[in-house]
Amino acid sequence: MIKNLLCGTAALTLALTPLALPSTATAATAAAPAAPTGAAVLNLVDAVEQIPLANESRTGYERESFKHWNRGLDLTDGCNTRNEVLLAEAIEAPTVAAGCKLSGGLWKSYYDGQEVNDPAKLDIDHMVPLAEAWDSGASAWTAGRREAYANDQDAATSLVAVTARSNRSKSDQDPAEWMPPLPDAHCRYLSEWVATKLRWGLAADQAEADALRVYAEGPCETAVVHYTPAA
């Protein structure tokens, strides 16, 4: 989708000057501006510039390196992270049976605008996919930090309930390769993607950074990013 935007919109007229990737850079070692210690609010274009550039590497990645879903925020409710997110994002609350079994309820998947009334038909998407996080710096984290990332409910943008179809279409792709099928969702999606990268100190490769700039300097120029660095 970004290829079409790059080829067919006025954003092509922007003078984007590619930043040179450090020859030996990795996501774990790339230099980045000092992160704020509290909540930050930035225009999308400025937020994109705060993400460090680095080559990505998937060497050693295993999905099991990110423990999920764990017992969630409330250790007494019997619900794991997945079900807690479903409960938090429901437009109409589902029925909760023993063992936190959910039925009924109503959700709206903002990636494609679809309404869903069966929790089994929803996926909980990691805004920045686990594989992309690994590529971008999480390979250097402790197992505990990767678990915290995979179950992050302290930021509303980290995990999102969406249709299984849209989540599986996205897979582990970044915004240079995939965007939500609903055009009206693009700016929100990019703001949340950038917020998650900044929250967790993750890097971007050149293609991803270029794609983010095209949107940030074009159709999403008024978008705003809210984030708080993860502990």
Side-chain angles (χ1 to χ4, degrees), residues 204-223:
D205 64 15
Q206 189 71 67
E208 177 188 346
D210 288 345
L212 293 172
R213 287 193 194 97
V214 167
Y215 280 98
E217 296 176 359
C220 299
E221 63 181 348
T222 62

Side-chain angles (χ1 to χ4, degrees), residues 25-27 54-58 131-132 135-136 174 197 203-205 208:
T26 66
N55 293 315
E56 294 184 355
S57 173
R58 195 156 297 184
E132 168 69 18
D135 299 350
S136 306
D174 68 31
K197 285 240 162 170
D205 64 15
E208 177 188 346

Side-chain angles (χ1 to χ4, degrees), residues 17-203:
T17 304
L19 299 178
L21 288 174
S23 58
T24 59
T26 66
T29 60
T37 56
V41 181
L42 297 169
N43 292 329
L44 179 59
V45 68
D46 294 327
V48 169
E49 296 306 320
Q50 295 296 309
I51 301 175
L53 274 177
N55 293 315
E56 294 184 355
S57 173
R58 195 156 297 184
T59 302
Y61 170 70
E62 295 180 355
R63 188 171 176 82
E64 293 73 21
S65 297
F66 295 82
K67 182 182 177 182
H68 68 291
W69 304 109
N70 66 17
R71 294 173 61 194
L73 287 178
D74 185 347
L75 301 182
T76 68
D77 67 0
C79 298
N80 63 13
T81 297
R82 170 186 161 80
N83 282 356
E84 286 185 352
V85 173
L86 288 172
L87 289 167
E89 296 193 4
I91 299 171
E92 296 178 7
T95 299
V96 184
C100 199
K101 183 177 180 180
L102 307 183
S103 60
L106 182 67
W107 293 262
K108 186 168 184 178
S109 167
Y110 92 80
Y111 288 1
D112 51 14
Q114 298 297 306
E115 291 191 348
V116 180
N117 57 15
D118 180 355
K121 294 181 179 179
L122 292 161
D123 282 355
I124 304 303
D125 183 35
H126 293 93
M127 175 54 58
V128 174
L130 301 181
E132 168 69 18
W134 178 274
D135 299 350
S136 306
S139 60
W141 294 351
T142 64
R145 188 164 181 83
R146 287 195 289 268
E147 179 179 354
Y149 177 85
N151 297 275
D152 183 17
Q153 293 187 70
D154 290 323
T157 58
S158 295
L159 300 170
V160 57
V162 295
T163 57
R165 175 180 294 182
S166 64
N167 183 46
R168 292 164 198 183
S169 170
K170 172 182 173 179
S171 186
D172 58 7
Q173 299 175 95
D174 68 31
E177 304 159 317
W178 186 90
M179 288 288 287
L182 186 65
D184 288 348
H186 289 180
C187 295
R188 173 182 171 182
Y189 180 75
L190 291 173
S191 293
E192 295 186 356
W193 178 278
V194 170
T196 303
K197 285 240 162 170
L198 291 176
R199 172 169 168 75
W200 289 93
L202 297 170

